[in-house]
Amino acid sequence: MNRPRSDTRQRIQDAARELFLQRGVQRTSLQDIADQLGITKPALYYHFSSREELVRSIVVPLIDEGEQFVAEQECREDTDVRELLEGYFDLHYRHRRDLVLLLTELSTLIDLGLIDTVLAWRARLGRLVFGDDPTLAQSTRAVVAFGGMQDCCVQFLDAPHEELRDRSVDAALAALGM
């Protein structure tokens, strides 16, 4: 029985994610991914026309969800900093496996034009915390706070969600001087 296209697509993404993490994006060919799944390379090409398209399909959900989160925060009347940090942590925790991929393949992020988007989130969220014209000290605090929470999601993959969230948010609040 044939699997639905979306299921095959997901299986390809899952296999690619694992191979990318093991070998790196640049050292993993589409043939490697096809071999891992026991499918032909043309079958893989039916779903993804290139390695770049496959990588993008893996990371774009994180980017889209992140952009939606930041935009929603910007539309709020008031900013509850703890709530903002908790939401930002949860976003990255849900996508922690993809964060590992992104961190190990920064050149791929740059090639796909996604790094500017991720860095802009920190600046935008920093303005929500500190106002429209944050000082350099405030901007660096925001980078440390938001970047640090992303790093905690990657560094402590086996930590219980609630405990890691509480510790990460507390640390981010301290970094923000709050």
Side-chain angles (χ1 to χ4, degrees), residues 72-90:
E72 287 172 358
Q73 296 301 310
E74 290 171 329
C75 290
R76 295 179 68 144
E77 296 267 332
D78 296 317
T79 298
D80 177 317
V81 176
R82 177 173 284 279
E83 190 178 300
L84 180 140
L85 293 171
E86 288 172 347
Y88 195 72
F89 175 87
D90 289 342

Side-chain angles (χ1 to χ4, degrees), residues 37-164:
L37 289 166
I39 64 173
T40 65
K41 194 171 174 183
L44 193 147
Y45 273 119
Y46 175 76
H47 296 279
F48 299 99
S49 63
S50 67
R51 183 175 51 201
E52 179 180 293
E53 181 186 345
L54 178 53
V55 171
R56 185 176 291 277
S57 78
I58 291 170
V59 300
V60 161
L62 165 62
I63 301 302
D64 289 348
E65 191 177 333
E67 186 59 36
Q68 179 181 350
F69 172 80
V70 174
E72 287 172 358
Q73 296 301 310
E74 290 171 329
C75 290
R76 295 179 68 144
E77 296 267 332
D78 296 317
T79 298
D80 177 317
V81 176
R82 177 173 284 279
E83 190 178 300
L84 180 140
L85 293 171
E86 288 172 347
Y88 195 72
F89 175 87
D90 289 342
L91 163 71
H92 289 90
Y93 189 85
R94 277 190 302 279
H95 294 280
R96 64 191 178 279
R97 291 179 63 219
D98 297 331
L99 276 176
V100 172
L101 172 63
L102 295 177
L103 291 173
T104 58
E105 293 289 338
L106 285 177
S107 62
T108 301
L109 246 186
I110 292 167
D111 292 344
L112 294 174
L114 300 175
I115 194 129
D116 293 333
T117 301
V118 175
L119 295 177
W121 293 346
R122 294 179 190 172
R124 291 166 62 194
L125 293 171
R127 285 191 296 278
L128 289 175
V129 173
F130 293 116
D132 287 335
D133 194 23
T135 65
L136 178 59
Q138 291 169 326
S139 295
T140 57
R141 287 176 173 271
V143 167
V144 169
F146 293 110
M149 285 197 314
Q150 290 169 327
D151 290 349
C152 286
C153 289
V154 172
Q155 184 73 30
F156 306 108
L157 288 172
D158 296 327
H161 173 262
E162 289 300 319
E163 183 179 357
L164 182 59

Side-chain angles (χ1 to χ4, degrees), residues 157-174:
L157 288 172
D158 296 327
H161 173 262
E162 289 300 319
E163 183 179 357
L164 182 59
R165 180 190 200 206
D166 291 344
R167 299 301 154 254
S168 298
V169 169
D170 288 346
L173 285 166

